[in-house]
Amino acid sequence: MTAVPTAPGSATPLSGYAIRSTAEVSDAAAVVSAPGYRTTGWHPAGPRSTVLAALVADGKHPDPFYSTNQQRIPAADFTVPWWFRAEFTVEDPSSRTYLDFSGVVSAADVFVNGKQVATASTVAGAYTRHELDVTGLVRAGANAVAFRINPNNPRKNLTMGWLDWLQPPPDENMGIVRDVLVRRGGPVALRDAHVVTSLALPSLAAADLTVKAQVRNDSAEAVTATLSGTIGATDPTGPTSTGIAFRRDVPLRAHETKTVAFAPADAPGLHLDAPRVWWPAGMGAQELYALDLTVTVPVPGAGARSGAESGAVSDRSRHGFGIRSVQAPLNKDGARQYSVNGRPLLIRGAGWSPDQLLRWDPTYAEDRLAYARDLGLNTLRLEGHLEPDEFFDLADRYGILTLPGWQCCTKWEGEVNGTEAGESWTAADHPVAKASMAAEAARLRDHPSVISFLIGSDFAPDAEIEKGYLDALKAADWPTPVIPAASAKSAPLSGPSGMRMPGPYDWVPPGYWYDKREGGATGFNSETSAGPDVPTLDTLRRMMSPAELTALWKDPAAPQYHRSPSRTYATLKLYDDALTARYGAPRSLDDYVAKAQLAQYENVRAQFEAYARNATDASKPSTGVIYWMFNSGWTSLHWQLVDRFLDQGGAYFGAKKANEPLHIQYSYDDRTVAVVNRRRAAVSGLTARVSLFNTDGTQKYDRTVTGLGVGGDGAKATALTLPASVEGLSTTHLARLILTDSAGSEVSRNVYWLSTRRDVSDYDESDWYHTPTTAYADLTGLRSMAQASLSATATTAVGADAPTTSTTTTTTTTTVTLRNTGTGNTPALLTDLHLVDGKDVPVLPVQWSDNQISLWPGESATLTATYRTADLHGSAPRIRVSGWNTPTATVPAAGRR
């Protein structure tokens, strides 16, 4: 039972539901939706829940994330509507009461206290927003609301669906996946508050703000309301006033709605000198503001005084926003080039996935956003599955840019996608699509992290659909570029997208990324990667049965349930063929996973490094890359930089290495060694040392270049070009790149395992998901590397309370010093550190200063791991050390104060 306060402006989410299939409920809707109805035998559900999420939480079905458990859940259970029923209490029914909601998947009939208040023909589409005035039905005490939710079919409904990312849940996510709010207020409602910002470029010296809101007289009497507001700058610990205030009397006829705007011309405080500007992570601070609005109405009998002087509060709102400018024109090559606050930036991003059951966990979401920032990413793309408000609040706080948009291969593109999945639109779909766009535009427009909306994905909308979207965006004062498609398509009104979507989506070699064709580093590639990302052994054992793990490394032709439902990706054969050809056939599960981490590290690193190197080219520069994907919504072998359990493997640390702020890197195509500087300021006095070694550690080439300088904002400088051949260099060899600053301190270190035989791609046989490889690099020499001797010592310090965006958490830092103690020449290749508890279970999430490093004899490195103290669950931390040619050992991490 949800207690709803009387306070005007309150918006109280229903705290949860009782749910049950209509096949099991014979009572009429009027009975089910009456207060006091007995729900014995119904299942509890949270305030945002799909049917399957509730059933899993209630123990009805086994964990669908393990093995093939999901196949045991009967899909027939979800072919009929389900009831979602809740009760709430109010003390004073004389205040106006509204139900405000979106996120119904796919459509619903809505009932309050036995009366139908909306039909499934109007409450249709996952993103449409609905406000139902139920004042006349609400009574003092208990009240009931019931949703009869129709089954979802994303090929037929403008909702949410899963494609080839993961095995879709059998309920197709039917349910209510956003809050249902019970709003209270007086006779005049306040809605649609937002702020339009205009920032002076390039100086950033001033900004003009225009505050807009709707005031709506819901009474049968004329009234003069007073709208007043303040704006204050905020920080993670609370608001600080900037002294901006404004007010206006607004006469309203009965049932009249007016849009009220405050601009600097009539509220001078809305012109800001030296505004606190919001920047993406790595470019500046994430400054935020808060808008507070209140509407008051005269108290009866108070005479002719205005509402502000004598009135009662009728409604209020609090609303966050940021001041920043986003531009994304097409460059001379037709590619989108984003700039924020006048500074161009390379979009370094990845595709975001929500939980497969659409369960919202704010801590889990924040952990993943913290990982994105740790990886040096600046952008996340959301193709459909547009997360709740808290996600975008977190993105604002973390400085992670977002690219939300509609989903491909479903009803959203059914009118324009030819023979692909998704049915053609009917007349009823157009208003649903426009209402969806209007609702999402109003919800997202003031988040500074949102830098565009993609109104198409694989295909651009036709003229009629596009006009509906654009009209809705214009009406919402949408402030950032509208992108017609994520692919190289054009829309009738918006023109060319400036994006491209050539793939690949399955394995290609690292050198592929350097070619300015297909998916290589040119233009803006909106979704691309080398496909599979096999997680760590710890994660594999949590998600797959022993028999499945055996097939994983022994049988490349075996269908992999945890890869994808798509027949294109049914197996790991392309990936496994490359792994065997380049590294040698796997000899065990451990050997397979170790080779997978090497392969994923080198490939992900190369993808981001290639796009970074080419970003400042005069011809066909790269402007953006979205790694497909950042994470999977379930336990997966497919498309992920970080796995379901937040463990980190080769893909994670390859991306982290490539995206470090000041970075030395090797180019697979022309053998150049470059320095890329993502910091704002230029750097000078750098020294680059490049050495080549046989796999036994024998040095065959060594060159040092001094006096290097590189500009800021993504500039690069070429240090040297490695010779085409080096006498005595083995077929498989290692390259060590070290960059030091003017004081001699190491600022970037990068190690490659290379071959004198190059991977060869057959571009003439490319298709939409990969380019065949006709010859492979020979990295099998890594198998002959001698065992390296490593020592590791670790200490742990419990830190002070660390504020996050939502709470205060005590963190712990473990410091590890690694040293290669060997007396010969053998390096320790790709040494991995895992923080584990007393049962050898990884402590997650964790942020490492660096990891998966390679050390030569006599070299040492000190690394830190930071994590929540509570995640140790009282255990003493330990460090598990392993590597390509390093025996696994676990050392204690003694605590200290």
Side-chain angles (χ1 to χ4, degrees):
M1 185 82 70
T2 304
V4 175
T6 303
S10 64
T12 307
L14 295 177
S15 58
Y17 304 92
I19 73 168
R20 197 167 190 182
S21 169
T22 58
E24 299 173 344
V25 178
S26 58
D27 295 319
V31 176
V32 172
S33 61
Y37 177 78
R38 291 177 60 84
T39 55
T40 303
W42 291 44
H43 303 279
R48 309 170 185 175
S49 183
T50 66
V51 172
L52 183 55
L55 297 181
V56 169
D58 199 29
K60 176 73 172 177
H61 297 298
D63 178 9
F65 285 60
Y66 178 74
S67 187
T68 56
N69 280 351
Q70 186 167 262
Q71 292 181 316
R72 297 163 55 188
I73 302 172
D77 290 354
F78 313 109
T79 58
V80 298
W82 278 65
W83 282 111
F84 275 59
R85 186 186 183 283
E87 294 197 4
F88 62 93
T89 61
V90 299
E91 292 184 0
D92 180 8
S94 64
S95 297
R96 301 204 71 84
T97 305
Y98 313 85
L99 292 180
D100 184 344
F101 59 91
S102 65
V104 173
V105 182
S106 67
D109 298 299
V110 187
F111 304 84
V112 172
N113 290 347
K115 302 293 185 182
Q116 186 164 9
V117 294
T119 67
S121 62
T122 56
V123 180
Y127 300 105
T128 56
R129 186 171 179 179
H130 308 274
E131 184 179 68
L132 308 178
D133 190 339
V134 295
T135 304
L137 297 174
V138 170
R139 63 192 70 169
N143 297 268
V145 56
F147 293 80
R148 186 169 57 202
I149 298 178
N150 288 344
N152 184 36
N153 184 333
R155 291 156 295 284
K156 297 182 177 181
N157 307 124
L158 291 169
T159 56
M160 306 176 185
W162 299 99
L163 308 172
D164 44 12
W165 305 343
L166 48 72
Q167 298 289 352
D171 73 335
E172 295 281 11
N173 292 139
M174 70 182 298
I176 303 176
V177 298
R178 294 181 180 173
D179 287 338
V180 173
L181 302 175
V182 183
R183 291 188 177 274
R184 307 301 304 280
V188 176
L190 175 62
R191 299 289 186 267
D192 200 40
H194 61 287
V195 182
V196 180
T197 65
S198 177
L199 178 63
L201 296 178
S203 69
L204 312 183
D208 287 335
L209 310 181
T210 300
V211 176
K212 291 186 176 183
Q214 286 185 354
V215 287
R216 186 184 70 213
N217 184 5
D218 285 334
S219 75
E221 304 292 333
V223 64
T224 296
T226 299
L227 180 62
S228 58
T230 61
I231 289 176
T234 67
D235 59 43
T237 59
T240 55
S241 175
T242 58
I244 301 173
F246 42 89
R247 63 179 295 276
R248 183 177 302 158
D249 291 340
V250 184
L252 295 165
R253 299 188 300 273
H255 303 296
E256 182 182 14
T257 299
K258 285 184 178 179
T259 297
V260 182
F262 298 92
D266 46 34
L270 295 175
H271 173 83
L272 303 182
D273 291 319
R276 298 172 62 168
V277 176
W278 185 94
W279 289 97
M283 297 180 71
Q286 288 74 59
E287 303 283 5
L288 295 169
Y289 288 80
L291 167 68
D292 287 282
L293 292 176
T294 302
V295 62
T296 57
V297 294
V299 175
R305 288 177 295 172
S306 72
E309 295 168 332
S310 62
V313 173
S314 183
D315 207 353
R316 63 173 80 243
S317 73
R318 183 173 177 82
H319 182 75
F321 69 98
I323 297 174
R324 59 92 180 92
S325 171
V326 177
Q327 297 174 322
L330 302 183
N331 67 13
K332 61 183 179 62
D333 300 303
R336 289 279 169 193
Q337 174 62 72
Y338 276 87
S339 64
V340 176
N341 301 332
R343 286 172 56 186
L345 77 162
L346 172 69
I347 295 295
R348 305 185 310 278
W352 176 271
S353 175
D355 175 73
Q356 184 214 38
L357 304 185
L358 303 187
R359 295 169 294 193
W360 173 252
D361 181 334
T363 300
Y364 186 53
E366 185 165 358
D367 288 340
R368 285 178 288 163
L369 283 165
Y371 269 12
R373 190 167 66 178
D374 179 56
L375 287 175
L377 302 180
N378 58 23
T379 305
L380 293 169
R381 180 182 166 209
L382 290 78
E383 184 190 357
H385 295 109
L386 305 182
E387 292 277 42
D389 296 344
E390 296 97 320
F391 172 86
F392 295 96
D393 291 338
L394 287 168
D396 294 343
R397 296 284 186 188
Y398 276 90
I400 302 297
L401 305 173
T402 62
L403 289 170
W406 303 129
Q407 189 173 14
C408 86
C409 315
T410 61
K411 186 61 175 278
W412 287 102
E413 293 188 350
E415 189 71 5
V416 294
N417 66 4
T419 60
E420 294 190 15
E423 297 187 3
S424 297
W425 286 25
T426 67
D429 291 314
H430 289 271
V432 172
K434 185 174 181 179
S436 300
M437 187 73 263
E440 289 304 293
R443 189 172 73 95
L444 301 177
R445 61 193 164 194
D446 276 358
H447 285 284
S449 59
V450 178
I451 58 169
S452 278
F453 198 95
L454 281 71
I455 57 175
S457 179
D458 292 21
F459 296 87
D462 64 20
E464 181 181 4
I465 296 171
E466 183 189 20
K467 185 176 186 304
Y469 290 151
L470 295 181
D471 287 350
L473 287 160
K474 181 179 180 180
D477 294 321
W478 184 256
T480 61
V482 178
I483 310 300
S487 61
K489 302 290 185 180
S490 294
L493 301 174
S494 304
S497 70
M499 310 288 237
R500 61 196 198 98
M501 191 190 290
Y505 300 95
D506 212 325
W507 193 87
V508 291
Y512 170 96
W513 301 107
Y514 288 85
D515 291 338
K516 292 189 176 183
R517 56 179 299 174
E518 310 304 328
T522 181
F524 196 123
N525 194 340
S526 69
E527 49 181 69
T528 186
S529 76
D533 281 299
V534 174
T536 65
L537 198 55
D538 293 293
T539 290
L540 287 171
R541 286 173 171 152
R542 294 178 69 176
M543 63 183 263
M544 298 171 74
S545 70
E548 289 169 322
L549 291 175
T550 299
L552 177 65
W553 72 273
K554 282 189 173 182
D555 188 359
Q560 295 292 340
Y561 185 69
H562 283 267
R563 188 175 183 199
S564 169
S566 167
R567 283 183 291 180
T568 302
Y569 309 123
T571 75
L572 291 170
K573 184 169 175 27
L574 284 173
Y575 176 85
D576 287 347
D577 286 351
L579 207 64
T580 295
R582 299 175 90 242
Y583 289 98
R587 294 168 289 188
S588 66
L589 177 63
D590 290 56
D591 184 54
Y592 176 82
V593 173
K595 288 170 177 172
Q597 303 316 310
L598 281 169
Q600 288 155 196
Y601 188 107
E602 62 164 343
N603 211 310
V604 174
R605 175 179 60 182
Q607 178 176 334
F608 282 108
E609 285 181 339
Y611 274 84
R613 189 199 69 174
N614 292 356
T616 53
D617 286 358
S619 175
K620 298 178 68 177
S622 55
T623 61
V625 60
I626 302 295
Y627 184 90
W628 209 246
M629 300 179 61
F630 174 72
N631 66 303
S632 177
W634 79 322
T635 44
S636 181
L637 302 168
H638 192 47
W639 293 344
Q640 57 189 352
L641 293 176
V642 60
D643 68 39
R644 167 71 188 175
F645 303 109
L646 303 181
D647 206 355
Q648 306 149 319
Y652 186 98
F653 291 113
K656 181 177 172 69
K657 176 58 63 177
N659 292 318
E660 61 187 358
L662 183 61
H663 180 63
I664 188 168
Q665 64 185 60
Y666 167 79
S667 301
Y668 284 81
D669 59 340
D670 60 10
R671 305 181 311 283
T672 57
V673 173
V675 177
V676 176
N677 179 23
R678 294 188 181 86
R679 298 168 178 167
R680 179 67 191 273
V683 183
S684 60
L686 300 172
T687 297
R689 182 182 179 186
V690 181
S691 309
L692 300 180
F693 301 86
N694 288 345
T695 52
D696 64 1
T698 305
Q699 183 173 289
K700 292 298 180 181
Y701 175 90
D702 189 51
R703 185 178 172 193
T704 299
V705 178
T706 61
L708 280 171
V710 58
D713 279 341
K716 71 171 181 288
T718 300
L720 58 90
T721 300
L722 289 173
S725 63
V726 174
E727 185 176 354
L729 192 65
S730 56
T731 302
T732 305
H733 54 277
L734 304 175
R736 183 183 66 190
L737 285 54
I738 298 176
L739 186 69
T740 54
D741 62 17
S742 56
S745 299
E746 185 177 299
V747 292
S748 179
R749 177 188 186 88
N750 210 349
V751 174
Y752 296 79
W753 37 104
L754 303 171
S755 174
T756 56
R757 288 175 49 187
R758 301 183 66 167
D759 297 293
V760 178
S761 298
D762 185 358
Y763 285 108
D764 291 340
E765 295 298 319
S766 295
D767 53 32
W768 65 270
Y769 69 95
H770 89 303
T771 294
T773 303
T774 56
Y776 294 94
D778 182 0
L779 300 174
T780 58
L782 296 178
R783 293 184 299 180
S784 65
M785 290 183 69
Q787 291 285 288
S789 298
L790 275 182
S791 69
T793 58
T795 58
T796 296
V798 178
D801 288 347
T804 67
T805 61
S806 57
T807 185
T808 298
T809 302
T810 301
T811 61
T812 292
T813 298
T814 295
T815 302
V816 185
T817 299
L818 283 176
R819 180 178 296 276
N820 187 326
T821 57
T823 57
N825 298 317
T826 303
L829 180 65
L830 209 70
T831 302
D832 178 85
L833 304 180
H834 258 70
L835 179 78
V836 297
D837 63 17
K839 296 181 180 179
D840 199 39
V841 175
V843 178
L844 300 167
V846 60
Q847 289 198 19
W848 286 94
S849 58
D850 198 0
N851 207 327
Q852 298 199 345
I853 64 172
S854 300
L855 296 174
W856 269 251
E859 291 184 330
S860 65
T862 298
L863 314 176
T864 60
T866 303
Y867 49 97
R868 286 187 291 263
T869 307
D871 289 338
L872 285 169
H873 302 293
S875 177
R878 303 190 303 164
I879 298 296
R880 186 207 299 156
V881 183
S882 61
W884 174 253
N885 61 327
T886 305
T888 299
T890 302
V891 299
R896 60 179 172 83
R897 289 285 178 179

